[in-house]
Amino acid sequence: MKRKIKIIYLALLIVAQVLLWRNYPTFRFNIDFLYLIIVYLAIRSSFLTSILAATCLGIIADYFSGGVMGVFAFSRTLTTYLLTIASRFVDLRKNFFIFMMILISLFLSNLMANIFFYFIFNFHITVNLLFIQPLLTALIGTVMVGLNPVKELLDVY
Amino acid sequence: MPFKQETREIRQERKTLIVAIILFINLILISSQIILRNQRSLLQTVVGNLVTPFQVAWQSGSDFVVNQWQRYFFLRGIYRRYQSLKEVQTKLKYQNFLMKKELRDLQALQGLTVQFQDYLVARVIAVDSNFPYHVVVIDRGSSQQVVENQTVINLDGDLVGRIVKPITLFSAAVRLITSSIGGAGAYLESNRLEGFVTGNGNASCTFKYLLGNRPVKVGDRVLTSGTDRLFPPFIVIGQVTAIEKDYLTQNIQVKPYFVDKPIKHLIVIRHEEKN
């Protein structure tokens, strides 16, 4: 039962992100629900699953963001690798650490993507990508995971 | 502390390797979309630059092998072909030599035909070994209307001498112009100065009676002048080899052309020249 709820939960996040991309392309760099899935998988799943999932979700992000294929896949994969290491040393029972982990990791991930976008492909999306998206995503992620019933449901501890 | 439920533990080195592979694949994907100034993607350029040297090396290597292979097949049996061609070449050279000789003889005879109306080809049958520059005997005699004082030349048209006695039915003696007896009226081709050529009994003659102040050069040709009424004019005798100044005249040494050529066949001019 828990497993089905988890799957539905993650699927809803994907749908929410896709809907955001398709219906509100202006805000496509303001929040990243897919990154919440990546973070969750990095915390809870095995290494290989989380890395492959990060790559796949990164490619989906590339496709919908209208950018260059491979940029988000690269940055998300690398960030996931770091997350799998960092998650061992972070106390996920405290929401502050969850918030900071999402914020910093997404910032770093987007910084890397931004390097590709700005310096190689000359795309100017710096502010949204570097600051607004990590902040909003971290806030929403903390809210979505931070509640105790949700934590129990998703086995975040 | 948080914990992850790893069903199957992967070693850290392997994890790093997996991530590196995935990141590398992503980089390839990205580089395929970076367009350079040459209108080709970064991936195409990099791959091209990496692969081209190997392609060139492969092509060069295969060309080399193919060429050597073809060369090997070409060279097989080349020695035998070389030998056969050499044999053919030797035969052709010999044929060429024979044909040249024949052509030369024909041209000489044709020239004689133009210059002289009636002539006779004779073969030398005897030479006096004690006086080789004096008299030779030919195989034509009075039966072929050979008479005394007829002019004798070689196949190249150079003056050799004249018919002297004894004359038999089938042989006659030829006194060479190198003989110390007799001589021939002659002139220098370069300045048409006339004189008299007489033999020295060796391979040379002397051009006499030319005044000392007349210009003569070594190498000038000497021809018969016809003033002696023995030899027809304009027959080539030889060339000047040395000049010695005397009190009034010059002592000019002339080397006849015929002494350096084979003397097996001679031509007897039976009548005077046509022109």
Side-chain angles (χ1 to χ4, degrees):
Chain A
M1 185 64 185
K2 253 187 177 182
R3 185 180 171 84
K4 280 184 182 176
I5 292 171
K6 279 186 208 173
I7 292 171
I8 291 168
Y9 195 79
L10 297 179
L12 282 175
L13 286 176
I14 294 173
V15 170
Q17 185 63 48
V18 172
L19 285 175
L20 180 68
W21 280 328
R22 292 181 70 88
N23 297 321
Y24 303 99
T26 316
F27 302 111
R28 67 187 188 275
F29 291 122
N30 285 358
I31 189 165
D32 193 348
F33 290 114
L34 294 185
Y35 191 73
L36 296 176
I37 301 171
I38 291 170
V39 173
Y40 177 73
L41 291 174
I43 294 168
R44 292 303 310 151
S45 301
S46 67
F47 173 79
L48 205 57
T49 309
S50 55
I51 288 291
L52 291 176
T55 307
C56 294
L57 291 172
I59 288 173
I60 292 170
D62 280 324
Y63 177 74
F64 280 105
S65 66
V68 180
M69 295 300 286
V71 172
F72 279 117
F74 183 90
S75 61
R76 296 301 190 250
T77 305
L78 193 59
T79 310
T80 305
Y81 177 65
L82 297 175
L83 277 174
T84 54
I85 297 169
S87 62
R88 294 175 187 172
F89 308 106
V90 176
D91 186 359
L92 295 173
R93 286 171 295 188
K94 293 183 178 176
N95 290 339
F96 175 72
F97 290 121
I98 294 174
F99 174 79
M100 288 305 291
M101 192 174 73
I102 296 172
L103 180 70
I104 294 169
S105 64
L106 187 55
F107 172 77
L108 292 174
S109 177
N110 285 353
L111 181 65
M112 191 171 299
N114 190 66
I115 289 170
F116 280 110
F117 282 139
Y118 187 78
F119 290 102
I120 298 175
F121 300 105
N122 206 22
F123 290 171
H124 299 275
I125 46 176
T126 310
V127 178
N128 279 346
L129 200 64
L130 277 184
F131 300 109
I132 296 174
Q133 190 189 67
L135 194 62
L136 283 178
T137 307
L139 278 173
I140 291 171
T142 307
V143 169
M144 289 174 71
V145 181
L147 299 172
N148 284 333
V150 180
K151 274 188 180 176
E152 281 182 18
L153 188 69
L154 296 177
D155 296 331
V156 177
Y157 47 83
Chain B
M1 285 292 289
F3 295 101
K4 289 203 303 183
Q5 298 294 322
E6 288 279 357
T7 53
R8 196 171 56 183
E9 194 64 36
I10 303 174
R11 285 191 306 171
Q12 187 61 35
E13 296 83 10
R14 189 161 291 180
K15 287 179 183 176
T16 308
L17 181 66
I18 291 168
V19 171
I21 291 170
I22 292 172
L23 291 179
F24 183 69
I25 293 168
N26 282 323
L27 278 178
I28 290 174
L29 190 63
I30 293 168
S31 66
S32 69
Q33 296 162 83
I34 298 174
I35 305 300
L36 300 178
R37 288 179 184 173
N38 58 5
Q39 301 300 318
R40 297 176 69 189
S41 70
L42 179 63
L43 180 65
Q44 283 179 313
T45 306
V46 170
V47 171
N49 287 339
L50 288 175
V51 169
T52 303
F54 291 102
Q55 280 183 317
V56 171
W58 171 257
Q59 191 61 42
S60 302
S62 58
D63 286 349
F64 176 77
V65 170
V66 168
N67 287 337
Q68 291 301 317
W69 192 249
Q70 287 176 343
R71 195 175 169 199
Y72 167 73
F73 276 108
F74 176 75
L75 288 174
R76 273 184 64 191
I78 202 75
Y79 183 72
R80 281 199 303 275
R81 283 176 58 195
Y82 169 73
Q83 290 293 341
S84 63
L85 284 174
K86 202 174 174 185
E87 196 176 337
V88 170
Q89 188 207 15
T90 308
K91 284 179 182 172
L92 287 173
K93 277 171 87 174
Y94 181 64
Q95 282 181 359
N96 187 32
F97 167 75
L98 291 177
M99 291 176 79
K100 270 185 177 175
K101 187 172 178 293
E102 192 177 349
L103 180 65
R104 194 189 65 180
D105 294 348
L106 284 171
Q107 282 176 341
L109 291 173
Q110 191 183 15
L112 288 173
T113 309
V114 170
Q115 193 172 4
F116 304 108
Q117 200 171 20
D118 193 7
Y119 63 90
L120 190 69
V121 179
R123 193 155 55 92
V124 175
I125 55 173
V127 178
D128 187 350
S129 58
N130 291 322
F131 304 99
Y133 293 102
H134 185 62
V135 172
V136 295
V137 180
I138 58 174
D139 62 346
R140 304 291 185 198
S142 57
S143 60
Q144 286 90 21
Q145 289 84 42
V146 173
V147 295
E148 193 176 6
N149 289 334
Q150 283 179 334
T151 303
V152 179
I153 58 176
N154 65 8
L155 293 177
D156 291 333
D158 307 321
L159 183 66
V160 174
R162 61 187 176 92
I163 301 292
V164 292
K165 289 181 180 176
I167 300 170
T168 65
L169 273 176
F170 303 106
S171 71
V174 177
R175 180 177 292 154
L176 304 176
I177 56 168
T178 51
S179 169
S180 54
I181 303 169
Y187 73 96
L188 292 167
E189 189 182 36
S190 59
N191 49 21
R192 302 191 72 82
L193 293 174
E194 292 196 13
F196 185 75
V197 168
T198 179
N200 297 329
N202 53 28
S204 67
C205 298
T206 303
F207 189 95
K208 293 179 178 176
Y209 310 131
L210 188 67
L211 291 174
N213 58 357
R214 303 296 185 187
V216 184
K217 294 194 301 288
V218 172
D220 280 352
R221 287 212 310 171
V222 179
L223 287 78
T224 56
S225 62
T227 52
D228 55 6
R229 298 203 176 269
L230 282 175
F231 297 104
F234 315 123
I235 298 175
V236 180
I237 298 173
Q239 66 177 7
V240 175
T241 55
I243 305 160
E244 290 176 20
K245 298 287 183 182
D246 211 342
Y247 292 108
L248 285 174
T249 58
Q250 300 181 66
N251 187 17
I252 299 169
Q253 295 297 313
V254 176
K255 185 170 188 181
Y257 288 127
F258 84 91
V259 297
D260 289 333
K261 295 175 182 174
I263 198 169
K264 280 189 173 181
H265 293 91
L266 298 175
I267 292 164
V268 180
I269 299 167
R270 288 195 288 206
H271 297 286
E272 251 188 350
E273 60 177 318
K274 195 191 327 181
N275 300 322

